[in-house]
Amino acid sequence: MIAAAKETWGGFLDILFPPKCLVCGSYGSVALCDSCRKGFAGIGAPFCDRCGVSTDGIEALCADCAAGSGWAFAQARAAGHFSGPLRKSILCLKYGGKRRLTVPFGAFLADYVQTNPFNSHAPDIIVPVPLHASRQRDRGFNQAALIAAEAGRLLDIPVAHNVLSRTRRTRPQVELHASERASNIRDAFRALESPLLRRKTVLLIDDVITTMNTVDECARVLIDAGAKEVYVVGVARGS
């Protein structure tokens, strides 16, 4: 009876307020229409084998990684460019509160990981990049955690939500000069020395990777806490 009533009520609401794509507003039954999803600009080869930045394909590493950038993570990738419908949909999620978009983002990320595997064993565990508690209260959710949960479900990899935390609120990296970014994020994260991490291969997930400093600092503390190695993947890569 209750299920039937909910279905009837849901159908009535759909008549009054037909579902729309949360990005372009076209009518449909899903949070993201096929047109917007197909507009995601994927990042294909060639890219740097270490940090994932697009390259000319002549060398396996970009100039920075070839010069010995010293990243703590093993490899980093991003599924798409932070532009067009992907950029608009991520902003709808982060600043418009459209949480249903985490489902197609998780699927986009999971598909990318499956078709572009890292040069290692499959990850043992997924860890999302955390927000500071005050910023998460302001926003109401951590978008990376929601995306990680959906990607983990599709990849059949457990997600550890509480092993990594942000201990202080930092300035957004995009507001800073390149020379300030590493110090801004230094010692801003803490990882628990947990059996969930010890000698495990970790897949660190974020929504947008703009600079490598944030994910690199997360990787550093995860390894210090016992992780064997850390691989990084983002939904999108910004400039």
Side-chain angles (χ1 to χ4, degrees):
M1 288 287 292
I2 295 176
K6 286 183 177 179
E7 185 175 350
T8 301
W9 178 244
F12 179 67
L13 290 177
D14 284 347
I15 294 173
L16 290 179
F17 308 102
K20 295 182 180 180
C21 171
L22 297 175
V23 177
C24 71
S26 62
Y27 289 103
S29 60
V30 293
L32 188 73
C33 70
D34 286 343
S35 178
C36 286
R37 170 60 185 83
K38 290 175 181 177
F40 287 3
I43 298 178
F47 46 72
C48 174
D49 191 55
R50 187 74 190 279
C51 73
V53 68
S54 295
T55 65
D56 57 16
I58 297 175
E59 302 292 342
L61 300 177
C62 68
D64 287 342
C65 290
S69 54
W71 301 123
F73 57 79
Q75 290 178 291
R77 300 278 187 274
H81 293 283
F82 189 55
S83 61
L86 182 54
R87 179 182 185 275
K88 185 175 180 180
S89 57
I90 288 174
L91 295 179
C92 283
L93 167 62
K94 292 177 71 169
Y95 306 114
K98 308 299 185 182
R99 300 190 196 191
R100 286 194 296 150
L101 287 169
T102 58
V103 174
F105 287 157
F108 182 52
L109 205 59
D111 180 67
Y112 179 80
V113 170
Q114 289 176 320
T115 55
N116 296 271
F118 291 102
N119 299 335
S120 180
H121 301 295
D124 298 304
I125 194 166
I126 289 173
V127 175
V129 172
L131 290 177
H132 188 267
S134 62
R135 183 159 286 154
Q136 183 160 334
R137 283 196 300 269
D138 292 343
R139 185 169 295 168
F141 58 91
N142 175 10
Q143 68 281 352
L146 296 178
I147 294 167
E150 180 64 15
R153 183 183 70 82
L154 295 171
L155 294 169
D156 196 25
I157 301 173
V159 182
H161 290 282
N162 299 315
V163 297
L164 183 65
S165 61
R166 191 181 294 240
T167 57
R168 61 182 177 85
R169 185 163 179 161
T170 57
R171 289 180 62 189
Q173 293 287 79
V174 293
E175 297 178 358
L176 302 175
H177 189 271
S179 62
E180 301 174 301
R181 290 169 179 168
S183 59
N184 177 57
I185 210 73
R186 190 71 175 176
D187 298 324
F189 298 93
R190 180 178 61 209
L192 299 177
E193 294 187 5
S194 165
L196 293 173
L197 291 178
R198 194 169 301 121
R199 300 191 58 78
K200 299 295 175 49
T201 296
V202 175
L203 181 63
L204 182 70
I205 286 181
D206 205 358
D207 58 336
V208 181
I209 300 174
T210 304
T211 72
M212 304 307 298
N213 299 102
T214 298
V215 293
D216 188 58
E217 181 67 9
C218 289
R220 185 182 70 81
V221 299
L222 287 168
I223 290 171
D224 286 347
K228 178 182 178 182
E229 53 190 357
V230 177
Y231 292 82
V232 178
V233 66
V235 175
R237 178 134 193 180
S239 55

